[in-house]
Each structure stands twice: as C-alpha cells, then as structure tokens.
Amino acid sequence: MSDENQRDSEGEEDDDDDDDNHESESRSCRSVFNSFLPGFLRDWGCLRSVQIMLNIPTQAFPAPGSQQRVAPSGQSGRNKVALKPGHSLMDWIRFAKSGKDLTGLRGRLIEVTSEELQKHNTREDCWTCIRGMVYNVTPYMDYHPGGEEELMKAAGIDGTELFDQVHRWVNYESMLKECLVGRMATKVPAALKAMIPPPPPTSLLPPVSVAPPPPDKDSRPRYDWFQTDVTVHLVVYAKRKLPSSGCTQVDLEAGVLRLEVLLGKMSYMIHLRLADEVEGNVSVHTSFSVGKIQVTIRKQTKGKWESLGQPLEFHNTFLRKKDRAPFYRECVLVSKTEVNHNTYVFRLQLPRGTVRHVPVGQHVYLKANIQDTEVVRAYTPVGQNLSVSSNNSSQDSDLYLMIKVYPDGVLTPHLNSLHIGDHLCVSGPEGTFSLRPLRDVTHLYLLAAGTGFTPMARLIQAALQDFESIRQTKLLFFNRREEDILWRCQLDELAANSERFQVEYVLSDPSESWTEKRGRVDESMLKDVLDRPDGSKCYACVCGPTAFTELTIGLLKQQGFSEEELHAFQG
C-alpha cells in the first residue's frame, strides 16, 4: 500500500477489505540550486558542501515513498478527507488544463521575496514554496486528498520540509505547473564565503593534521575487478550477509554500468563509463552467506583493459536509499493473467543489460503519461506463483505485478489497455522493509485486506524457505466477497502441503453458503486467531486501506504486541 495517505485516485475507498492501492504522482526534478551561483562554485569543487550548508537536496524527486514503505508501527501519516464529487485527480488535471488563470498573474512569472510570500497566507489567497519555486495552491484546495488543513500548514512559507515529510514522491511540478507564480528571490548567506576553499598550498608537505576516518569506515562495502581476454568481472564485497531474495540492481546501457546494491536502508553504488565496448548482456552471481556479488560482462574485442572505466556521478558512494532518485528503464509487457474479476498479474520483461532483484516487501514505480500529465504509481512485485521453490529462481528475472483495475481510475485503465509487446516505464526497487527482524521469530502473523495481500505473497515464501525458526506463518485475509479472494487456490494448496502455513478468510459481505469467518477485524476475532505460546517470539505485518491498518495495529497492541513486533505497510 502507498504511504501517501490520500483517497485512492483509482477508485473510491470502500470497505476495509478493499484495496486502497493509492496511486500518487511522482517525477524526477532537478534541484533549483543547479541554476544558482553557477560557474565559480563548481570550479572550486564546493557545490556539494554549499548544498549541504543550505540544506538543499542533492537528489531529484521522487524519493522513495511507496506502497510497501514500512513506517514505525502504528504511524499512519496524514489523514485523508472525503473529496467533493467532481474533485478527483482526473478532475484536477482537466481543470488545470482548462485555460483558466490559476495564479492571478495573467501568465506572468515573478520573483517572490520572503516578505511577499508571507502576505499570501489565507484560505482564499494561499501561496507556498517548494524547492525554491512558488505556487498559488488556492485553486487546488478542494482537490487536495489531505484537505485544506494540510495545505494551510505551508501557507505563506517554504513548505518543502512539510512536503517531504508526507508526499515527497508526488510529482508536484506536473500537478501544479499551471499554478506556478515564480521563483523565490535568493539571498546568499554570509557564511558562503567561509565555504569557498583556500587556494591549494604551495608546499608539497602533507597537512599538519588529517581528519580521522568515519568510525564505520570498515563496514562500508568495497569493490574490485579482474579480467580475462574476453570478460570483465566486477566484485562487490558487502561485508554482511545478503538476503536470499537478492539486493542487486545492474543496468548496462551504451557502455555505462550502473550497479546498485540495496543493504537495508542503505544503497551502495558503482557508476562507470566502461573503458571499452562490451556486449549488452550481464550476469550476476551472489554468494549470500559471505556477502559477495560478482557481475560479469563480455568484451566485444579481445584484449586487456588498463582500467575498468571512468567514474561517473555517485560512483563508489554509500548513501541512504531514500536519498537516491528512482532509476527507470523501459520494460515490455509479455503477458497478462486474470486473477479474479478485476485483478490481473502483469508480467514485465526487463531490457537487455538489466538485472533487478527486488527485495521482499519492496515495490517498484510504474510511470506513464496520461493527458500530458506524468502519473506514477507504486506496486509490489509478487512471485510467478506461491510455490516456495520459485522464490529464488535465477532463471526468471521478469517482474510480476498484481494490479487491481479501477474503471474510473487514472493509471490502471491505461495499464489494462496495453497490448502484449507494449512498453512500460518501471523504476528500480523502493521501500524500507527488511527481513532482519524475522531472524528469531517463531510465529509470524500476516493480516491483509484486498490487494494488501501483495507484499504478503513473497513474505510467505521467504518465511517458509529462509526462516526455519518460524514454526508457524498464519495469514488472516479480509475481503468483501468470495470472488474477491486473490490466489485462493494457491493459498489453500500451500496450507494443505505445509504444516507451517495456515490461512483463514474473512468476508464482510458473504453469500449465504459461506461457512468461514464473517465480519470485519475486531478484538474478539484477533483473540481467536492470534496465539502467543509461552516462550514464543511473535511478529505481525499488516497491509490494507488506511482505516483497516490503523484499526488493526491498535487491536494488535491491545493483544500485547509491542512496537518492535509490528510492521504496518502503510495504506
């Protein structure tokens, strides 16, 4: 589920068993700082230092807000409001393109001072600043899924920090481009002079004192490479065990190699323009227990290279994953399989030269241009099926996305209209979910509503295959009707063949012939389902619409689950 807590633009939110499947906007944009103080700062090589000093983001949008982004348990982010009829995302897109003057400036762009910005701080006249650009958000008030109260928090001020806290992956530039007032007037801080480094010393002697290395330097991944006459091998030493579901993203295109290794909340990157021409395919071999990843590329011409290549931006960097912008590639739709009456599994084939291991519980973004507006949504890959043996298949590198189609939605009707062979823009993995807390768990409980099941699918596989300590994995699956249950036959088969897995279905609107659980999640239901044997270590994951998730997390806490024993995939 998306951590952008807004009304689902692909369909009205209904029962707690239905899929919120929020689809929020996202697009990469460059920091406005790149147009500020050009030339001499870059010549001195201190642009990065100045950016840090000014607290200007060094990475483009969108940051990794996600369907499967795991917040601290019980945190739900902002609240949604009931939008008036005719105020959906598509209605806003149509209104913004109607030709009306949404800024009140008759098409002029102005430079806005802080004093001028502060004057526009009312419901009827609301300006805000994001990333150095000022927008008149007054016309957007009634269309904002978080309500006017959320927007008014940034009225007349720089709202970048507030924006980042809640929806930094939303493509605000595209959504609000007709509301653009102009650029903030920039003042150079007095401390800037102190940031310009002194001229290089004339002496060749080393400096008197050298700053000590970071205390965690030894824990940083490192890389090396070796070659034969026909191949080049790049080896990353992660210095830790690696998840069996994989954590490596390799993209080789036009002689540029981009290798990203996801290590929990951190990201290690190798980014090089290779020294000579190579073939387009790559192969990846991972030694999970020792933390070694080897990438092999074939040379086009036999011979020895003097170097691996020329470093590019962010080469050999170890950063927080959320500080890197999503990286997109064009994938091909190779099949579309019906799951039930409104949900399908879309199988996407990665381009040549791309290998992507999506960690369990993480998601990818799909991006498309809808009515001249870039729309981005997050979806969690599932496996080809629920077979435990397929979880680590190295032969199948395709992505499988289980997507519910909303007839009146923004993106999903477009996805549903695609033909086999059509292309779709897909990002690399995003999200912060980690399997690490499951290492000592004995009882794993998964509570899902609707397509909140999607992050649970591979989590079930991982629990049964990779965690022998987990004696029991139980899925409590909430839906409205029997025909809404996703992969029911596979779930029943898995439960029949594994003593360590159980599934129970709960319907809020069942037929008369339904003999299993009825109703919605409540205290008595959880008491019946959740066992906490003496000496056990329990863990629970929840995914569904926001109301379902918040209620369930609260009930689990009442059952004695602590913060450390809960993960809520935000919806």
Side-chain angles (χ1 to χ4, degrees):
M1 306 303 293
S2 166
D3 72 335
E4 179 63 20
N5 293 314
Q6 62 181 10
R7 177 166 300 278
D8 186 357
S9 59
E10 293 298 335
E12 293 296 306
E13 179 183 345
D14 42 32
D15 296 285
D16 58 20
D17 51 272
D18 197 14
D19 168 34
D20 229 15
N21 197 15
H22 304 315
E23 302 187 301
S24 289
E25 319 251 338
S26 168
R27 184 168 71 103
S28 295
C29 72
R30 299 183 184 275
S31 170
V32 296
F33 189 77
N34 289 336
S35 62
F36 172 60
L37 294 178
F40 77 94
L41 288 178
R42 294 186 182 89
D43 293 339
W44 280 105
C46 65
L47 174 60
R48 181 62 51 81
S49 299
V50 176
Q51 286 177 315
I52 294 172
M53 181 194 73
L54 298 180
N55 196 27
I56 295 176
T58 60
Q59 279 295 300
F61 267 61
S66 77
Q67 276 187 314
Q68 269 62 53
R69 182 176 178 185
V70 181
S73 58
Q75 288 188 8
S76 60
R78 63 176 182 151
N79 296 320
K80 293 181 293 183
V81 300
L83 295 175
K84 301 175 184 177
H87 287 76
S88 67
L89 173 59
M90 287 303 299
D91 292 317
W92 168 253
I93 292 174
R94 285 189 287 267
F95 178 65
K97 297 183 182 301
S98 65
K100 295 184 178 179
D101 179 13
L102 303 187
T103 65
L105 299 176
R106 299 181 181 180
R108 292 183 298 117
L109 292 178
I110 64 174
E111 187 175 63
V112 182
T113 64
S114 297
E115 293 76 16
E116 180 64 25
L117 179 62
Q118 293 171 9
K119 297 176 182 178
H120 302 271
N121 62 358
T122 66
R123 168 63 177 82
E124 294 73 26
D125 181 18
C126 183
W127 290 9
T128 191
C129 174
I130 304 176
R131 295 287 186 273
M133 308 304 289
V134 178
Y135 299 89
N136 181 359
V137 295
T138 313
Y140 185 57
M141 286 284 181
D142 292 334
Y143 296 86
H144 186 237
E148 66 177 64
E149 181 179 352
E150 287 265 335
L151 287 180
M152 289 303 296
K153 292 178 181 178
I157 62 173
D158 189 324
T160 304
E161 183 176 350
L162 291 170
F163 180 88
D164 285 351
Q165 290 174 2
V166 183
H167 38 17
R168 61 184 280 138
W169 61 306
V170 171
N171 181 10
Y172 71 95
E173 281 191 317
S174 179
M175 288 183 63
L176 299 177
K177 60 185 176 183
E178 303 300 333
C179 300
L180 179 62
V181 171
R183 185 187 300 273
M184 280 294 295
T186 307
K187 296 180 180 180
V188 180
L192 180 60
K193 296 179 181 179
M195 296 304 298
I196 301 178
T202 56
S203 171
L204 297 180
L205 295 175
V208 176
S209 62
V210 179
D216 62 344
K217 183 177 181 181
D218 290 340
S219 67
R220 290 174 55 92
R222 67 178 183 87
Y223 80 98
D224 202 349
W225 71 286
F226 62 96
Q227 62 178 314
T228 68
D229 282 342
V230 295
T231 57
V232 174
H233 306 269
L234 188 149
V235 183
V236 172
Y237 301 94
K239 302 183 180 179
R240 66 209 76 194
K241 290 184 178 181
L242 301 176
S244 60
S245 59
C247 58
T248 306
Q249 325 301 315
V250 182
D251 290 279
L252 176 61
E253 186 177 24
V256 173
L257 176 68
R258 183 185 187 275
L259 166 63
E260 183 177 7
V261 181
L262 305 180
L263 301 170
K265 296 180 180 179
M266 303 298 291
S267 160
Y268 179 65
M269 183 177 291
I270 301 296
H271 197 195
L272 294 161
R273 181 173 298 280
L274 297 175
D276 207 339
E277 294 184 351
V278 295
E279 296 182 2
N281 292 327
V282 297
S283 61
V284 178
H285 301 278
T286 304
S287 299
F288 300 102
S289 59
V290 299
K292 186 176 80 170
I293 301 163
Q294 180 171 313
V295 177
T296 300
I297 306 171
R298 294 190 64 84
K299 301 175 180 177
Q300 275 196 3
T301 305
K302 290 184 179 181
K304 296 293 185 181
W305 290 4
E306 294 184 359
S307 68
L308 184 56
Q310 177 185 356
L312 300 176
E313 187 179 22
F314 301 118
H315 172 65
N316 199 22
T317 55
F318 191 42
L319 305 174
R320 293 181 303 173
K321 172 58 182 173
K322 70 177 185 177
D323 290 335
R324 298 198 196 274
F327 183 79
Y328 287 88
R329 291 299 300 272
E330 288 282 341
C331 294
V332 177
L333 177 64
V334 294
S335 71
K336 175 181 156 187
T337 306
E338 182 177 302
V339 178
N340 65 9
H341 59 97
N342 61 7
T343 304
Y344 303 86
V345 171
F346 292 76
R347 181 177 180 177
L348 303 175
Q349 185 179 72
L350 297 166
R352 185 185 184 203
T354 296
V355 175
R356 283 188 180 162
H357 299 157
V358 181
V360 172
Q362 297 195 16
H363 65 278
V364 297
Y365 290 117
L366 303 186
K367 180 169 64 173
N369 195 288
I370 310 293
Q371 295 189 10
D372 296 326
T373 298
E374 194 173 79
V375 179
V376 177
R377 301 293 184 258
Y379 295 99
T380 306
V382 297
Q384 185 174 4
N385 51 53
L386 278 179
S387 171
V388 173
S389 61
S390 71
N391 191 34
N392 293 324
S393 173
S394 59
Q395 304 301 318
D396 187 2
S397 59
D398 293 346
L399 289 174
Y400 297 85
L401 303 177
M402 186 178 288
I403 298 175
K404 179 177 178 179
V405 175
Y406 293 89
D408 299 326
V410 178
L411 181 61
T412 55
H414 169 76
L415 299 178
N416 200 33
S417 70
L418 294 177
H419 298 94
I420 304 304
D422 285 347
H423 288 75
L424 190 60
C425 209
V426 184
S427 80
E430 299 289 335
T432 58
F433 181 77
S434 171
L435 292 171
R436 186 183 299 269
L438 302 186
R439 289 178 178 175
D440 301 320
V441 167
T442 61
H443 291 69
L444 176 62
Y445 297 105
L446 310 175
L447 297 93
T451 50
F453 165 72
T454 55
M456 308 303 185
R458 293 178 66 215
L459 185 51
I460 291 169
Q461 292 177 311
L464 297 180
Q465 180 163 300
D466 301 330
F467 294 90
E468 294 182 0
S469 63
I470 299 180
R471 301 196 295 266
Q472 182 183 81
T473 297
K474 180 178 287 189
L475 171 66
L476 193 59
F477 197 179
F478 295 82
N479 286 277
R480 179 180 293 174
R481 296 175 296 271
E482 192 169 355
E483 59 266 28
D484 297 326
I485 301 174
L486 304 172
W487 275 1
R488 183 181 181 183
C489 290
Q490 294 194 45
L491 288 167
D492 289 342
E493 182 179 357
L494 188 61
N497 294 330
S498 174
E499 296 180 352
R500 298 170 56 210
F501 177 70
Q502 297 179 15
V503 59
E504 293 194 41
Y505 307 106
V506 184
L507 300 183
S508 62
D509 186 20
S511 64
E512 293 182 2
S513 61
W514 180 254
T515 59
E516 300 187 43
K517 293 184 181 295
R518 298 167 175 252
R520 303 173 186 272
V521 62
D522 59 24
E523 182 178 2
S524 62
M525 184 181 296
L526 294 189
K527 282 184 178 180
D528 293 339
V529 173
L530 305 183
D531 299 322
R532 299 196 62 136
D534 293 340
S536 65
K537 183 172 182 180
C538 300
Y539 200 83
C541 295
V542 181
C543 188
T546 304
F548 169 84
T549 301
E550 292 180 345
L551 174 59
T552 304
I553 288 293
L555 292 173
L556 288 170
K557 289 182 177 180
Q558 292 179 19
Q559 299 291 323
F561 282 80
S562 65
E563 294 279 347
E564 292 73 24
E565 296 174 319
L566 294 171
H567 260 307
F569 294 92
Q570 291 301 293

